[in-house]
Short mmCIF file of all heavy atoms in Angstrom, two decimals:
data_model
loop_
_atom_site.label_atom_id
_atom_site.label_comp_id
_atom_site.label_asym_id
_atom_site.label_seq_id
_atom_site.Cartn_x
_atom_site.Cartn_y
_atom_site.Cartn_z
N MET V 11 -181.59 -70.76 37.81
CA MET V 11 -181.04 -71.17 39.07
C MET V 11 -179.62 -70.83 39.12
O MET V 11 -178.81 -71.01 38.23
CB MET V 11 -181.33 -72.60 39.27
CG MET V 11 -180.96 -72.97 40.66
SD MET V 11 -180.89 -74.67 41.24
CE MET V 11 -182.38 -75.46 40.59
N GLU V 12 -179.16 -70.24 40.13
CA GLU V 12 -177.82 -69.90 40.39
C GLU V 12 -177.04 -70.99 40.84
O GLU V 12 -177.33 -71.79 41.68
CB GLU V 12 -177.57 -68.78 41.32
CG GLU V 12 -176.30 -68.08 41.35
CD GLU V 12 -176.36 -66.80 42.21
OE1 GLU V 12 -177.30 -66.03 42.19
OE2 GLU V 12 -175.34 -66.63 42.90
N GLN V 13 -175.71 -71.14 40.22
CA GLN V 13 -174.90 -72.27 40.71
C GLN V 13 -174.18 -71.94 41.98
O GLN V 13 -173.92 -70.73 42.31
CB GLN V 13 -173.65 -72.46 39.67
CG GLN V 13 -174.39 -73.22 38.30
CD GLN V 13 -173.13 -73.54 37.47
OE1 GLN V 13 -172.16 -72.92 37.42
NE2 GLN V 13 -173.28 -74.66 36.69
N ALA V 14 -173.89 -72.99 42.81
CA ALA V 14 -173.26 -72.87 44.05
C ALA V 14 -171.80 -72.33 43.67
O ALA V 14 -171.20 -72.69 42.63
CB ALA V 14 -173.22 -74.16 44.74
N GLY V 15 -171.15 -71.59 44.60
CA GLY V 15 -169.83 -71.21 44.54
C GLY V 15 -168.80 -72.33 44.64
O GLY V 15 -169.11 -73.40 44.97
N SER V 16 -167.64 -72.01 44.06
CA SER V 16 -166.66 -73.04 43.94
C SER V 16 -165.34 -72.43 44.70
O SER V 16 -165.19 -71.33 44.86
CB SER V 16 -166.21 -73.33 42.57
OG SER V 16 -164.95 -73.87 42.45
N ILE V 17 -164.52 -73.47 45.24
CA ILE V 17 -163.25 -72.90 45.86
C ILE V 17 -162.40 -72.18 44.84
O ILE V 17 -161.47 -71.46 45.17
CB ILE V 17 -162.42 -74.04 46.38
CG1 ILE V 17 -162.06 -75.05 45.28
CG2 ILE V 17 -163.17 -74.72 47.54
CD1 ILE V 17 -160.95 -76.07 45.82
N PHE V 18 -162.63 -72.28 43.50
CA PHE V 18 -161.87 -71.72 42.46
C PHE V 18 -162.32 -70.31 42.09
O PHE V 18 -161.82 -69.48 41.33
CB PHE V 18 -161.79 -72.56 41.15
CG PHE V 18 -161.26 -73.86 41.40
CD1 PHE V 18 -161.96 -75.00 41.51
CD2 PHE V 18 -159.88 -73.99 41.59
CE1 PHE V 18 -161.39 -76.27 41.73
CE2 PHE V 18 -159.29 -75.30 41.78
CZ PHE V 18 -160.15 -76.30 42.02
N ASP V 19 -163.45 -69.88 42.70
CA ASP V 19 -164.03 -68.55 42.54
C ASP V 19 -163.28 -67.47 43.18
O ASP V 19 -163.19 -66.34 42.77
CB ASP V 19 -165.56 -68.54 42.97
CG ASP V 19 -166.38 -69.38 42.17
OD1 ASP V 19 -166.02 -69.61 41.02
OD2 ASP V 19 -167.54 -69.73 42.64
N ASP V 20 -162.71 -67.85 44.34
CA ASP V 20 -161.91 -66.84 45.10
C ASP V 20 -160.50 -66.93 44.75
O ASP V 20 -159.83 -67.97 44.89
CB ASP V 20 -162.12 -67.09 46.62
CG ASP V 20 -163.53 -66.90 47.13
OD1 ASP V 20 -164.21 -65.94 46.62
OD2 ASP V 20 -163.94 -67.72 47.90
N VAL V 21 -160.02 -65.94 44.19
CA VAL V 21 -158.58 -65.76 43.86
C VAL V 21 -157.74 -64.84 44.71
O VAL V 21 -158.17 -63.73 44.94
CB VAL V 21 -158.46 -65.32 42.33
CG1 VAL V 21 -156.90 -65.08 41.86
CG2 VAL V 21 -159.20 -66.09 41.42
N ASP V 22 -156.72 -65.51 45.31
CA ASP V 22 -155.84 -64.66 46.23
C ASP V 22 -154.81 -64.01 45.32
O ASP V 22 -153.85 -64.60 44.83
CB ASP V 22 -155.14 -65.67 47.16
CG ASP V 22 -154.28 -64.88 48.25
OD1 ASP V 22 -153.80 -63.71 47.95
OD2 ASP V 22 -153.92 -65.47 49.23
N GLU V 23 -155.02 -62.72 45.03
CA GLU V 23 -154.23 -61.89 44.04
C GLU V 23 -152.81 -61.91 44.57
O GLU V 23 -151.83 -61.94 43.69
CB GLU V 23 -154.85 -60.69 43.73
CG GLU V 23 -156.18 -60.69 42.97
CD GLU V 23 -156.18 -61.24 41.65
OE1 GLU V 23 -154.98 -61.28 41.06
OE2 GLU V 23 -157.12 -61.79 41.16
N VAL V 24 -152.59 -61.72 45.84
CA VAL V 24 -151.22 -61.70 46.29
C VAL V 24 -150.50 -62.84 46.11
O VAL V 24 -149.28 -62.94 45.64
CB VAL V 24 -151.17 -61.15 47.76
CG1 VAL V 24 -149.80 -61.29 48.43
CG2 VAL V 24 -151.81 -59.83 47.91
N ARG V 25 -151.09 -64.01 46.41
CA ARG V 25 -150.46 -65.41 46.22
C ARG V 25 -150.17 -65.71 44.65
O ARG V 25 -149.22 -66.07 44.31
CB ARG V 25 -151.31 -66.43 46.81
CG ARG V 25 -150.73 -67.80 46.61
CD ARG V 25 -151.70 -68.90 47.13
NE ARG V 25 -151.31 -68.96 48.65
CZ ARG V 25 -151.87 -69.79 49.54
NH1 ARG V 25 -152.90 -70.52 49.08
NH2 ARG V 25 -151.31 -69.85 50.67
N LYS V 26 -151.20 -65.21 43.98
CA LYS V 26 -151.08 -65.34 42.53
C LYS V 26 -149.87 -64.64 41.89
O LYS V 26 -149.06 -65.10 41.07
CB LYS V 26 -152.34 -64.99 41.70
CG LYS V 26 -152.36 -65.11 40.29
CD LYS V 26 -153.64 -64.65 39.69
CE LYS V 26 -153.68 -64.59 38.22
NZ LYS V 26 -154.93 -64.15 37.61
N ALA V 27 -149.83 -63.33 42.34
CA ALA V 27 -148.70 -62.48 41.85
C ALA V 27 -147.24 -62.98 42.30
O ALA V 27 -146.35 -63.03 41.54
CB ALA V 27 -148.86 -61.16 42.41
N ARG V 28 -147.25 -63.55 43.56
CA ARG V 28 -145.99 -64.10 43.99
C ARG V 28 -145.62 -65.43 43.31
O ARG V 28 -144.48 -65.59 42.93
CB ARG V 28 -146.21 -64.48 45.60
CG ARG V 28 -144.90 -64.98 46.21
CD ARG V 28 -145.08 -65.41 47.72
NE ARG V 28 -145.86 -64.44 48.45
CZ ARG V 28 -146.94 -64.70 49.19
NH1 ARG V 28 -147.35 -65.91 49.16
NH2 ARG V 28 -147.54 -63.74 49.81
N ALA V 29 -146.63 -66.24 42.97
CA ALA V 29 -146.27 -67.38 42.26
C ALA V 29 -145.80 -67.08 40.70
O ALA V 29 -144.85 -67.80 40.27
CB ALA V 29 -147.57 -68.35 42.13
N ILE V 30 -146.46 -66.04 40.27
CA ILE V 30 -145.96 -65.64 38.85
C ILE V 30 -144.52 -65.17 38.95
O ILE V 30 -143.66 -65.54 38.03
CB ILE V 30 -146.94 -64.61 38.24
CG1 ILE V 30 -148.33 -65.40 38.03
CG2 ILE V 30 -146.34 -64.03 37.07
CD1 ILE V 30 -149.43 -64.40 37.51
N ALA V 31 -144.25 -64.33 39.87
CA ALA V 31 -142.93 -63.70 40.07
C ALA V 31 -141.92 -64.95 40.25
O ALA V 31 -140.75 -64.82 39.75
CB ALA V 31 -142.88 -62.76 41.21
N GLU V 32 -142.20 -65.88 41.10
CA GLU V 32 -141.35 -66.97 41.36
C GLU V 32 -141.05 -67.88 40.09
O GLU V 32 -140.02 -68.21 39.72
CB GLU V 32 -141.84 -67.90 42.45
CG GLU V 32 -141.76 -67.24 43.84
CD GLU V 32 -142.49 -68.18 44.83
OE1 GLU V 32 -142.89 -69.33 44.53
OE2 GLU V 32 -142.59 -67.60 46.00
N ALA V 33 -142.10 -67.99 39.32
CA ALA V 33 -141.99 -68.75 38.01
C ALA V 33 -141.10 -68.01 37.17
O ALA V 33 -140.27 -68.56 36.40
CB ALA V 33 -143.28 -69.01 37.41
N ARG V 34 -141.25 -66.71 36.97
CA ARG V 34 -140.46 -65.80 36.08
C ARG V 34 -139.00 -65.90 36.43
O ARG V 34 -138.11 -66.04 35.62
CB ARG V 34 -140.96 -64.47 36.00
CG ARG V 34 -142.31 -64.42 35.22
CD ARG V 34 -142.81 -62.93 35.08
NE ARG V 34 -143.98 -62.90 34.22
CZ ARG V 34 -144.92 -61.95 34.21
NH1 ARG V 34 -144.65 -60.90 35.08
NH2 ARG V 34 -145.92 -61.98 33.43
N ALA V 35 -138.74 -65.89 37.80
CA ALA V 35 -137.28 -65.94 38.31
C ALA V 35 -136.79 -67.25 37.87
O ALA V 35 -135.61 -67.30 37.56
CB ALA V 35 -137.30 -65.72 39.73
N ASP V 36 -137.53 -68.34 38.18
CA ASP V 36 -137.02 -69.74 37.69
C ASP V 36 -136.66 -69.82 36.19
O ASP V 36 -135.51 -70.32 35.90
CB ASP V 36 -138.02 -70.77 38.03
CG ASP V 36 -138.15 -71.09 39.58
OD1 ASP V 36 -137.24 -70.78 40.26
OD2 ASP V 36 -139.12 -71.67 39.91
N VAL V 37 -137.55 -69.27 35.40
CA VAL V 37 -137.26 -69.24 33.95
C VAL V 37 -136.04 -68.39 33.62
O VAL V 37 -135.12 -68.96 32.79
CB VAL V 37 -138.43 -68.79 33.17
CG1 VAL V 37 -138.16 -68.46 31.68
CG2 VAL V 37 -139.65 -69.66 33.31
N ALA V 38 -135.96 -67.33 34.24
CA ALA V 38 -134.72 -66.39 33.99
C ALA V 38 -133.49 -67.04 34.42
O ALA V 38 -132.38 -66.92 33.80
CB ALA V 38 -134.89 -65.00 34.76
N ALA V 39 -133.51 -67.87 35.51
CA ALA V 39 -132.27 -68.50 36.11
C ALA V 39 -132.02 -69.91 35.33
O ALA V 39 -131.07 -70.64 35.63
CB ALA V 39 -132.53 -68.75 37.55
N GLY V 40 -132.98 -70.25 34.54
CA GLY V 40 -132.67 -71.55 33.77
C GLY V 40 -133.14 -72.75 34.45
O GLY V 40 -132.92 -73.88 34.13
N ARG V 41 -133.97 -72.59 35.48
CA ARG V 41 -134.50 -73.67 36.21
C ARG V 41 -135.79 -74.14 35.62
O ARG V 41 -136.90 -73.91 36.11
CB ARG V 41 -134.75 -73.29 37.63
CG ARG V 41 -133.46 -72.90 38.50
CD ARG V 41 -133.72 -72.64 39.93
NE ARG V 41 -134.57 -71.57 40.12
CZ ARG V 41 -134.05 -70.30 40.42
NH1 ARG V 41 -132.78 -70.15 40.52
NH2 ARG V 41 -134.79 -69.29 40.60
N VAL V 42 -135.61 -74.77 34.45
CA VAL V 42 -136.84 -75.27 33.69
C VAL V 42 -136.42 -76.66 33.07
O VAL V 42 -135.32 -77.17 33.11
CB VAL V 42 -137.00 -74.30 32.46
CG1 VAL V 42 -137.41 -73.01 32.90
CG2 VAL V 42 -135.91 -74.24 31.50
N VAL V 43 -137.38 -77.44 32.72
CA VAL V 43 -137.34 -78.68 31.99
C VAL V 43 -137.82 -78.49 30.63
O VAL V 43 -138.91 -77.97 30.37
CB VAL V 43 -138.14 -79.72 32.69
CG1 VAL V 43 -138.11 -81.09 31.95
CG2 VAL V 43 -137.75 -79.88 34.26
N PRO V 44 -136.88 -78.88 29.55
CA PRO V 44 -137.26 -78.66 28.25
C PRO V 44 -138.61 -79.40 27.83
O PRO V 44 -138.85 -80.51 28.32
CB PRO V 44 -136.10 -79.22 27.42
CG PRO V 44 -134.98 -79.24 28.43
CD PRO V 44 -135.61 -79.43 29.81
N HIS V 45 -139.34 -78.78 26.96
CA HIS V 45 -140.54 -79.28 26.52
C HIS V 45 -140.41 -80.79 25.99
O HIS V 45 -141.25 -81.62 26.34
CB HIS V 45 -141.02 -78.46 25.29
CG HIS V 45 -142.42 -78.98 24.72
ND1 HIS V 45 -142.37 -79.81 23.70
CD2 HIS V 45 -143.77 -78.90 25.16
CE1 HIS V 45 -143.71 -80.15 23.38
NE2 HIS V 45 -144.51 -79.49 24.26
N ALA V 46 -139.46 -81.05 25.23
CA ALA V 46 -139.18 -82.29 24.59
C ALA V 46 -139.06 -83.34 25.77
O ALA V 46 -139.55 -84.50 25.57
CB ALA V 46 -137.99 -82.30 23.64
N VAL V 47 -138.28 -83.10 26.76
CA VAL V 47 -138.19 -83.95 27.87
C VAL V 47 -139.52 -84.30 28.56
O VAL V 47 -139.81 -85.39 28.91
CB VAL V 47 -137.19 -83.35 28.91
CG1 VAL V 47 -137.12 -84.18 30.19
CG2 VAL V 47 -135.81 -83.29 28.23
N VAL V 48 -140.39 -83.25 28.89
CA VAL V 48 -141.61 -83.34 29.40
C VAL V 48 -142.55 -84.21 28.46
O VAL V 48 -143.27 -85.02 28.98
CB VAL V 48 -142.25 -82.04 29.73
CG1 VAL V 48 -143.73 -82.24 30.26
CG2 VAL V 48 -141.53 -81.25 30.76
N ALA V 49 -142.49 -83.89 27.11
CA ALA V 49 -143.36 -84.70 26.31
C ALA V 49 -142.97 -86.17 26.21
O ALA V 49 -143.84 -87.01 26.13
CB ALA V 49 -143.10 -84.02 24.81
N GLU V 50 -141.68 -86.41 26.25
CA GLU V 50 -141.28 -87.88 26.32
C GLU V 50 -141.75 -88.57 27.59
O GLU V 50 -142.23 -89.62 27.51
CB GLU V 50 -139.72 -87.86 26.27
CG GLU V 50 -139.33 -89.31 26.21
CD GLU V 50 -137.68 -89.48 26.30
OE1 GLU V 50 -137.07 -88.47 25.93
OE2 GLU V 50 -137.11 -90.49 26.73
N TRP V 51 -141.73 -87.80 28.67
CA TRP V 51 -142.14 -88.36 30.00
C TRP V 51 -143.60 -88.64 30.00
O TRP V 51 -144.14 -89.66 30.33
CB TRP V 51 -141.79 -87.34 31.14
CG TRP V 51 -142.28 -87.76 32.45
CD1 TRP V 51 -141.91 -88.71 33.26
CD2 TRP V 51 -143.38 -87.08 33.11
NE1 TRP V 51 -142.61 -88.77 34.48
CE2 TRP V 51 -143.61 -87.64 34.36
CE3 TRP V 51 -144.16 -85.95 32.74
CZ2 TRP V 51 -144.43 -87.39 35.29
CZ3 TRP V 51 -145.12 -85.51 33.77
CH2 TRP V 51 -145.22 -86.19 35.00
N LEU V 52 -144.49 -87.64 29.41
CA LEU V 52 -145.87 -87.90 29.27
C LEU V 52 -146.19 -89.05 28.33
O LEU V 52 -147.15 -89.86 28.60
CB LEU V 52 -146.44 -86.57 28.72
CG LEU V 52 -146.42 -85.46 29.73
CD1 LEU V 52 -147.02 -84.17 29.09
CD2 LEU V 52 -147.33 -85.73 30.88
N GLN V 53 -145.41 -89.22 27.26
CA GLN V 53 -145.65 -90.32 26.34
C GLN V 53 -145.37 -91.65 27.11
O GLN V 53 -146.17 -92.60 26.94
CB GLN V 53 -144.82 -90.15 25.07
CG GLN V 53 -145.06 -91.34 24.08
CD GLN V 53 -146.50 -91.25 23.55
OE1 GLN V 53 -146.91 -90.13 23.17
NE2 GLN V 53 -147.33 -92.27 23.60
N ARG V 54 -144.38 -91.72 27.92
CA ARG V 54 -144.04 -92.89 28.63
C ARG V 54 -145.18 -93.20 29.60
O ARG V 54 -145.56 -94.37 29.80
CB ARG V 54 -142.74 -92.75 29.41
CG ARG V 54 -141.57 -92.80 28.42
CD ARG V 54 -140.19 -92.67 29.09
NE ARG V 54 -139.90 -93.77 29.90
CZ ARG V 54 -138.96 -93.78 30.86
NH1 ARG V 54 -138.23 -92.75 30.92
NH2 ARG V 54 -138.84 -94.92 31.57
N LEU V 55 -145.76 -92.22 30.29
CA LEU V 55 -146.90 -92.31 31.20
C LEU V 55 -148.07 -92.87 30.36
O LEU V 55 -148.75 -93.85 30.82
CB LEU V 55 -147.26 -91.01 31.84
CG LEU V 55 -146.43 -90.49 32.92
CD1 LEU V 55 -146.83 -89.24 33.39
CD2 LEU V 55 -146.28 -91.48 34.09
N ALA V 56 -148.33 -92.37 29.20
CA ALA V 56 -149.50 -92.72 28.43
C ALA V 56 -149.29 -94.25 27.90
O ALA V 56 -150.34 -94.92 27.80
CB ALA V 56 -149.53 -91.88 27.27
N ASN V 57 -148.08 -94.71 27.86
CA ASN V 57 -147.74 -96.02 27.53
C ASN V 57 -147.82 -97.02 28.61
O ASN V 57 -147.52 -98.25 28.51
CB ASN V 57 -146.43 -96.21 26.82
CG ASN V 57 -146.45 -95.52 25.38
OD1 ASN V 57 -147.42 -95.42 24.88
ND2 ASN V 57 -145.17 -95.17 24.98
N GLY V 58 -148.20 -96.63 29.84
CA GLY V 58 -148.27 -97.42 30.91
C GLY V 58 -147.08 -97.54 31.93
O GLY V 58 -147.11 -98.22 32.78
N GLU V 59 -146.09 -96.84 31.49
CA GLU V 59 -144.80 -96.85 32.29
C GLU V 59 -144.96 -95.88 33.47
O GLU V 59 -145.87 -95.12 33.52
CB GLU V 59 -143.53 -96.39 31.51
CG GLU V 59 -143.16 -97.22 30.42
CD GLU V 59 -142.00 -96.75 29.51
OE1 GLU V 59 -140.96 -96.46 30.17
OE2 GLU V 59 -142.18 -96.62 28.36
N ARG V 60 -144.09 -96.09 34.51
CA ARG V 60 -144.12 -95.04 35.70
C ARG V 60 -142.85 -94.50 35.85
O ARG V 60 -142.03 -94.77 36.93
CB ARG V 60 -144.64 -95.86 36.94
CG ARG V 60 -145.95 -96.48 36.89
CD ARG V 60 -146.95 -95.60 36.43
NE ARG V 60 -147.63 -95.11 37.61
CZ ARG V 60 -148.61 -94.05 37.53
NH1 ARG V 60 -148.74 -93.44 36.43
NH2 ARG V 60 -149.15 -93.78 38.69
N PRO V 61 -142.29 -93.84 34.96
CA PRO V 61 -140.95 -93.08 35.06
C PRO V 61 -140.96 -91.96 36.10
O PRO V 61 -142.09 -91.33 36.27
CB PRO V 61 -140.76 -92.56 33.76
CG PRO V 61 -142.03 -92.19 33.12
CD PRO V 61 -142.89 -93.30 33.68
N PRO V 62 -139.83 -91.70 36.75
CA PRO V 62 -139.92 -90.52 37.61
C PRO V 62 -140.09 -89.29 36.79
O PRO V 62 -139.77 -89.08 35.74
CB PRO V 62 -138.41 -90.53 38.26
CG PRO V 62 -137.68 -91.35 37.27
CD PRO V 62 -138.59 -92.32 36.61
N PRO V 63 -140.65 -88.14 37.49
CA PRO V 63 -140.98 -87.02 36.67
C PRO V 63 -139.60 -86.35 36.28
O PRO V 63 -138.68 -86.56 36.94
CB PRO V 63 -141.74 -86.12 37.73
CG PRO V 63 -141.49 -86.77 38.99
CD PRO V 63 -141.16 -88.25 38.81
N PRO V 64 -139.70 -85.65 35.22
CA PRO V 64 -138.52 -84.93 34.82
C PRO V 64 -138.02 -83.83 35.78
O PRO V 64 -139.04 -83.27 36.56
CB PRO V 64 -138.80 -84.23 33.47
CG PRO V 64 -140.29 -84.21 33.32
CD PRO V 64 -140.72 -85.37 34.36
N TYR V 65 -136.76 -83.51 35.86
CA TYR V 65 -136.27 -82.61 36.89
C TYR V 65 -135.21 -81.68 36.20
O TYR V 65 -134.45 -82.26 35.59
CB TYR V 65 -135.76 -83.44 38.04
CG TYR V 65 -135.52 -82.66 39.35
CD1 TYR V 65 -136.64 -82.49 40.16
CD2 TYR V 65 -134.24 -82.20 39.62
CE1 TYR V 65 -136.43 -81.82 41.35
CE2 TYR V 65 -134.22 -81.54 40.81
CZ TYR V 65 -135.30 -81.28 41.65
OH TYR V 65 -135.20 -80.60 42.87
N SER V 66 -135.31 -80.50 36.56
CA SER V 66 -134.29 -79.58 36.05
C SER V 66 -132.94 -79.93 36.64
O SER V 66 -132.93 -80.01 37.88
CB SER V 66 -134.65 -78.07 36.42
OG SER V 66 -133.64 -77.23 36.09
N HIS V 67 -131.98 -79.99 35.72
CA HIS V 67 -130.66 -80.31 36.28
C HIS V 67 -130.02 -79.13 37.04
O HIS V 67 -128.99 -79.29 37.75
CB HIS V 67 -129.67 -80.57 35.00
CG HIS V 67 -129.46 -79.29 34.23
ND1 HIS V 67 -130.34 -78.82 33.27
CD2 HIS V 67 -128.45 -78.55 34.16
CE1 HIS V 67 -129.78 -77.79 32.77
NE2 HIS V 67 -128.61 -77.49 33.23
N THR V 68 -130.70 -77.99 37.04
CA THR V 68 -130.08 -76.83 37.77
C THR V 68 -130.67 -76.79 39.25
O THR V 68 -130.19 -75.82 40.00
CB THR V 68 -130.51 -75.47 37.03
OG1 THR V 68 -131.98 -75.46 37.02
CG2 THR V 68 -129.97 -75.45 35.76
N LEU V 69 -131.45 -77.65 39.67
CA LEU V 69 -132.09 -77.75 40.93
C LEU V 69 -131.38 -78.96 41.71
O LEU V 69 -131.12 -79.80 41.16
CB LEU V 69 -133.51 -77.81 41.02
CG LEU V 69 -134.36 -76.75 40.24
CD1 LEU V 69 -135.77 -77.17 40.25
CD2 LEU V 69 -134.16 -75.49 41.09
N LYS V 70 -131.37 -78.82 43.03
CA LYS V 70 -130.94 -79.83 43.87
C LYS V 70 -132.18 -80.63 44.29
O LYS V 70 -133.15 -80.10 44.65
CB LYS V 70 -130.21 -79.41 45.15
CG LYS V 70 -128.82 -78.77 44.81
CD LYS V 70 -128.14 -78.31 46.18
CE LYS V 70 -126.88 -77.64 45.81
NZ LYS V 70 -126.09 -77.18 46.96
N ARG V 71 -132.06 -81.99 44.13
CA ARG V 71 -133.22 -82.88 44.51
C ARG V 71 -133.30 -82.80 46.00
O ARG V 71 -132.40 -82.66 46.80
CB ARG V 71 -132.98 -84.21 44.11
CG ARG V 71 -133.16 -84.51 42.60
CD ARG V 71 -133.08 -85.94 42.31
NE ARG V 71 -133.15 -86.16 40.88
CZ ARG V 71 -134.18 -86.33 40.22
NH1 ARG V 71 -135.33 -86.39 40.79
NH2 ARG V 71 -134.19 -86.54 38.97
N GLN V 72 -134.60 -82.82 46.50
CA GLN V 72 -135.02 -82.82 47.90
C GLN V 72 -135.62 -84.13 48.27
O GLN V 72 -136.73 -84.23 48.80
CB GLN V 72 -135.78 -81.61 48.34
CG GLN V 72 -135.02 -80.36 48.03
CD GLN V 72 -135.83 -79.08 48.42
OE1 GLN V 72 -137.04 -79.26 48.91
NE2 GLN V 72 -135.37 -77.95 48.20
N ASP V 73 -135.04 -85.34 47.79
CA ASP V 73 -135.71 -86.52 48.06
C ASP V 73 -135.49 -86.93 49.49
O ASP V 73 -134.75 -86.73 50.22
CB ASP V 73 -135.01 -87.62 47.18
CG ASP V 73 -135.29 -87.35 45.65
OD1 ASP V 73 -136.24 -86.70 45.29
OD2 ASP V 73 -134.38 -87.72 44.98
#
């Protein structure tokens, strides 16, 4: 029996390519959060805390 289709079956290649290009530009510009910072945040979440998500110091917050 064939499985029903999923919303994940259709890939918008243009959108995917744009997202990859934007991510690469962010990395090249240093707009990243270090792994250790993310790992610490995840550990705090696992311990039941609700800390704000880590944020790259190179970006302006849009709160």
Side-chain angles (χ1 to χ4, degrees):
M11 185 188 317
E12 192 172 321
Q13 286 186 330
S16 163
I17 61 169
F18 300 105
D19 291 338
D20 296 323
V21 176
D22 182 339
E23 293 298 333
V24 172
R25 179 179 272 176
K26 179 180 173 183
R28 186 179 316 123
I30 291 170
E32 288 174 7
R34 287 181 175 160
D36 284 340
V37 170
R41 293 185 295 263
V42 297
V43 178
H45 177 268
V47 173
V48 174
E50 179 183 342
W51 175 69
L52 290 171
Q53 186 61 55
R54 290 178 65 192
L55 287 175
N57 291 337
E59 297 178 49
R60 300 307 261 165
Y65 199 80
S66 173
H67 69 284
T68 62
L69 298 174
K70 292 182 180 177
R71 287 188 183 269
Q72 296 180 2
D73 298 329

